[in-house]
């Protein structure tokens, strides 16, 4: 496993739509392993493949309940309900935060690293993370969804 460089604000890859994963091979496994190591080292909540320069539909999310890593390949939010409004940041936008409305609960359909389909549900912070990372795959960054950007004083 390796820690990959996280793409920063201003890099055009963050605005590109990622392509579906079609090959479930060693290359994908290495990418997912590296993304896991990268997000943990950076103390992040999640990471999308385009944030490490790869235009494929793959994300990793840290499950705050048990610190496990959830891998989602070709994720699609198939249900959502409720609403939450809270501060959100991003590893690609260090030190920047905004108030973003997200669903309180989502259900995601995805594939695992072997191509097997599954569904997973998330509430509160996990729902926020699923939405945030899925947005990345569609070339959308949190600042585009923010009702306002928070000042440094507000974050303290």
């Amino acid at each position: 496993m390796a820690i990959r460089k996280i793409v920063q604000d201003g890099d055009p890859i963050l605005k590109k739509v990622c392509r579906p994963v079609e090959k479930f091979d060693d290359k994908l496994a290495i990418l997912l392993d590296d993304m896991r190591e990268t997000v943990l080292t950076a103390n992040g909540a999640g990471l999308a493949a385009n944030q490490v320069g790869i235009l494929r539909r793959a994300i990793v999310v840290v499950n705050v309940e048990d610190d496990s890593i959830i891998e989602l390949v070709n994720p699609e939010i198939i249900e959502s309900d409720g609403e939450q409004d809270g501060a959100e940041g991003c590893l690609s936008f260090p030190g920047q935060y905004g108030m973003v409305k997200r669903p309180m609960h989502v259900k995601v359909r995805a594939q695992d690293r072997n191509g097997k389909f599954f569904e997973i549900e998330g509430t509160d912070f996990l729902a926020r993370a699923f939405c945030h990372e899925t947005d990345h795959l569609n070339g959308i960054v949190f600042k585009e969804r923010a009702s306002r950007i928070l000042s440094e004083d507000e974050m303290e």
Side-chain angles (χ1 to χ4, degrees):
M1 290 189 284
I3 297 169
R4 297 200 184 199
K5 182 176 188 262
I6 298 172
V7 172
Q8 299 296 299
D9 186 10
D11 191 311
I13 200 165
L14 292 172
K15 304 299 247 160
K16 294 186 178 183
V17 175
C18 295
R19 296 183 300 275
V21 172
E22 295 174 352
K23 289 184 180 178
F24 295 83
D25 56 10
D26 289 343
K27 192 173 177 181
L28 174 63
I30 291 167
L31 172 64
L32 291 168
D33 289 343
D34 289 355
M35 288 173 63
R36 174 181 206 250
E37 180 126 357
T38 303
V39 75
L40 291 174
T41 300
N43 255 352
L47 192 67
N50 60 335
Q51 288 182 274
V52 293
I54 306 295
L55 284 172
R56 288 288 180 250
R57 297 187 75 78
I59 64 177
V60 295
V61 173
V62 178
N63 185 344
V64 293
E65 290 182 15
D66 62 8
D67 287 331
S68 63
I69 297 290
I70 301 167
E71 298 176 348
L72 302 169
V73 180
N74 299 324
E76 177 186 357
I77 295 172
I78 57 173
E79 287 180 25
S80 66
D81 58 74
E83 185 176 271
Q84 58 176 308
D85 192 13
E88 202 166 297
C90 180
L91 293 173
S92 292
F93 297 83
Q96 299 179 51
Y97 299 89
M99 294 300 292
V100 180
K101 283 186 182 173
R102 299 281 189 189
M104 182 55 79
H105 176 263
V106 297
K107 181 187 283 187
V108 181
R109 184 168 194 262
Q111 291 169 276
D112 66 15
R113 64 174 50 212
N114 300 309
K116 182 180 177 190
F117 281 94
F118 68 97
E119 291 181 0
I120 186 169
E121 295 186 45
T123 302
D124 199 20
F125 187 80
L126 192 55
R128 178 176 294 281
F130 287 157
C131 292
H132 178 107
E133 300 309 331
T134 302
D135 271 355
H136 269 300
L137 301 180
N138 295 317
I140 300 167
V141 297
F142 82 98
K143 290 170 70 172
E144 294 173 57
R145 296 215 186 267
S147 58
R148 68 185 181 92
I149 301 300
L150 300 173
S151 69
E152 287 182 29
D153 289 341
E154 289 176 293
M155 287 311 300
E156 289 178 9

